[in-house]
Amino acid sequence: MQFFRSINNVEAMTFDLDDTLYNNEPIIRRAEQALQAHIAEHHHQAAKLTSLDWLQLKRAAIAKDARLASDMGQLRRVVLSAALSGTPANQLSIVPTEDTALRAAVDSCFNCFYDARSDFALASNVHHTLDKLSQHLPLVGITNGNVNAQKVGLDRYFTAILHASVERPMKPAQNMFDEAASLIKVTPSHILHVGDNIIKDVFGAINAGYQSAWFACNRPMQLKLEPVSVLPHVQLDSLEELIQFV
């Protein structure tokens, strides 16, 4: 554990989820593979789309409504609707389809991805740490992703888990930090936010008046390799070190 700033008494903690509590990249990769296998079996025309085609649909959706960049689930549904209906990027619509068959197909594809995206087990040390912390402090999840916390077994430790959406701009925007502090009625300067991303988590938390703990479970913890614009209050060597703050 390395301190860069003095820390106030910690009365609550907020947590990023992806790449802080589990390595998200291989999980997403497996989920994408499961989705593509489903599409190859059930939607032969969409299966012919290249990676560039999918990227262009994604960019077109965000160009139509920039808020979709904060809502991974809704963005995926819009892109799937265009792909399954054979709609080119320059004609993409963000209005939900009224075609019941298409809607059912989109739901099936989305559920395939979402189920696979949340199909993993947390390490025992993560369960142990969150269990210990939750016995002493209110905990809130603040994530730009859309993992199913109940399926993974995270929800039992948290007062709430806030997901970025079209109504909640993704970190480093201040919105979810403000919402979490209001929800648990704790002054931001006495909340410690734990996250792996130097910009989204460290900068976002400090900009919102929080204290910040930097921890990444998926890569070497070397600040010289990160896009540092502001230092965290503390850099952790392990997640379990958080127990020292209660």
Side-chain angles (χ1 to χ4, degrees), residues 9-236:
N9 182 48
V10 176
E11 298 177 8
M13 292 186 189
T14 58
F15 282 83
D16 172 57
L17 305 183
D18 298 345
D19 298 326
T20 299
L21 300 181
Y22 48 85
N23 186 359
N24 195 49
E25 191 277 331
I27 297 167
I28 294 296
R29 186 171 62 248
R30 290 194 300 269
E32 292 284 5
Q33 291 170 348
L35 173 59
Q36 289 304 318
H38 178 88
I39 290 173
E41 180 179 356
H42 299 285
H43 306 283
H44 298 158
Q45 287 303 116
K48 296 177 183 178
L49 295 176
T50 66
S51 297
L52 179 58
D53 293 328
W54 287 100
L55 180 59
Q56 288 175 336
L57 289 173
K58 180 179 178 179
R59 287 174 173 170
I62 294 172
K64 286 285 184 70
D65 187 347
R67 298 177 304 164
L68 288 172
S70 290
D71 195 322
M72 297 298 99
Q74 186 59 27
L75 176 60
R76 187 172 295 276
R77 287 184 181 277
V78 170
V79 169
L80 282 169
S81 184
L84 300 188
S85 63
T87 303
N90 61 0
Q91 298 177 26
L92 178 145
S93 172
I94 61 172
V95 178
T97 179
E98 295 183 0
D99 183 330
T100 54
L102 176 58
R103 187 180 302 165
V106 169
D107 286 345
S108 181
C109 288
F110 180 84
N111 291 336
C112 172
F113 175 86
Y114 191 53
D115 288 345
R117 187 261 181 277
S118 304
D119 186 18
F120 62 93
L122 293 169
S124 58
N125 72 302
V126 176
H127 281 294
H128 170 75
T129 300
L130 294 177
D131 181 54
K132 286 289 186 183
L133 292 173
S134 66
Q135 293 177 33
H136 300 276
L137 302 172
L139 309 180
V140 176
I142 301 179
T143 177
N144 287 348
N146 64 346
V147 69
N148 185 333
Q150 184 175 10
K151 182 175 181 179
V152 175
L154 275 170
D155 61 316
R156 74 189 77 169
Y157 307 116
F158 291 93
T159 300
I161 295 180
L162 308 179
H163 296 266
S165 67
V166 292
E167 292 84 19
R168 287 190 184 118
M170 63 167 51
K171 297 173 294 181
Q174 192 170 331
N175 304 62
M176 286 194 288
F177 292 106
D178 289 347
E179 184 177 350
S182 177
L183 181 69
I184 57 179
K185 296 179 173 57
V186 176
T187 303
S189 60
H190 288 280
I191 302 175
L192 182 65
H193 177 70
V194 186
D196 77 290
N197 193 287
I198 292 292
I199 296 174
K200 296 173 183 176
D201 292 302
V202 174
F203 171 77
I206 291 174
N207 188 55
Y210 279 53
Q211 304 180 107
S212 173
W214 180 47
F215 179 72
C217 72
N218 66 331
R219 61 190 187 276
M221 295 280 292
Q222 298 181 44
L223 280 171
K224 65 182 180 181
L225 301 178
E226 304 286 334
V228 178
S229 60
V230 62
L231 288 172
H233 286 73
V234 60
Q235 175 179 329
L236 304 175

